[in-house]
């Protein structure tokens, strides 16, 4: 028995990409245009099964592009009509996992940057560039998420 409410829903959900989404590609293009070089879909901590979208290994900066639906964006998240309890729990678990990921990386000396998929990719890339430059220069920096 499938978790999906219909076969069409199952097909739609299976076609969702785990990486190389349009917002992620736009961020990567914008970051690259600023001269940033990074690893893509990389595990900052080898022993932890969490993959960041962009990773600056020497600066120890991990960037995550969070989807508004999947990660519960406070501005754009929509409540599922069909199978609402399942999806609400899934988003809750995703947010919980995100918080745990942030904690694990910070404990290991990494700086985490989270970007919502709806953010302007050029501005998000500028924010990433500032964080990476600050880390490379040794300047302490507190990162805030954009909305």
């Amino acid at each position: 028995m499938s978790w999906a409410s219909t076969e069409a829903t199952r097909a739609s959900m299976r076609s969702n990409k785990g990486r190389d989404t349009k917002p992620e590609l736009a961020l990567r293009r914008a970051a690259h245009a600023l001269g940033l070089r990074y690893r893509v879909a990389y595990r900052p901590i080898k022993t932890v099964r969490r993959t960041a979208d962009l990773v600056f290994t020497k600066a120890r900066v991990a960037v995550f592009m969070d989807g508004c639906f999947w990660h519960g964006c406070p501005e754009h998240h929509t409540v599922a009509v069909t199978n609402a309890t399942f999806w609400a729990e899934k988003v809750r678990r995703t947010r919980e996992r995100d918080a745990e990921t942030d904690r694990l990386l910070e404990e290991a000396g990494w700086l985490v940057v989270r970007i919502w998929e709806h953010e302007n990719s050029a501005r998000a890339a500028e924010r990433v560039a500032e964080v990476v430059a600050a880390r490379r220069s040794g300047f302490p920096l507190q990162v805030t998420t954009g909305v």
Side-chain angles (χ1 to χ4, degrees):
M1 180 84 185
S2 171
W3 51 265
S5 56
T6 67
E7 195 54 43
T9 300
R10 178 178 164 83
S12 174
M13 299 315 285
R14 290 182 73 193
S15 69
N16 285 324
K17 297 166 93 176
R19 63 175 274 188
D20 299 335
T21 62
K22 287 181 183 178
E24 192 179 316
L25 292 173
L27 174 65
R28 288 185 350 213
R29 277 191 298 273
H32 194 272
L34 292 175
L36 296 174
R37 300 302 178 257
Y38 44 82
R39 293 184 177 270
V40 176
Y42 186 82
R43 281 188 192 178
I45 304 171
K46 298 294 176 209
T47 57
V48 178
R49 255 188 86 215
R50 307 290 164 84
T51 304
D53 298 308
L54 278 72
V55 176
F56 300 86
T57 54
K58 288 185 176 141
R60 296 178 69 91
V61 174
V63 180
F64 294 88
M65 171 67 70
D66 292 340
C68 291
F69 176 79
W70 303 105
H71 295 263
C73 170
E75 190 175 330
H76 296 107
H77 179 71
T78 56
V79 177
V81 175
T82 306
N83 217 355
T85 304
F86 170 83
W87 289 111
E89 178 62 17
K90 184 162 184 63
V91 170
R92 186 195 66 73
R93 287 191 323 265
T94 298
R95 294 180 86 177
E96 197 173 83
R97 186 188 67 237
D98 290 346
E100 180 188 32
T101 299
D102 293 354
R103 180 184 57 77
L104 290 170
L105 288 170
E106 288 166 6
E107 286 173 357
W110 286 80
L111 190 64
V112 175
V113 178
R114 290 207 172 262
I115 298 170
W116 289 109
E117 70 176 330
H118 69 263
E119 286 185 65
N120 177 286
S121 57
R123 283 197 296 266
E126 288 170 4
R127 196 168 89 229
V128 170
E130 288 172 8
V131 169
V132 170
R135 286 293 289 233
R136 286 179 177 158
S137 70
F139 181 75
L141 183 68
Q142 182 67 29
V143 176
T144 58
T145 58
V147 173

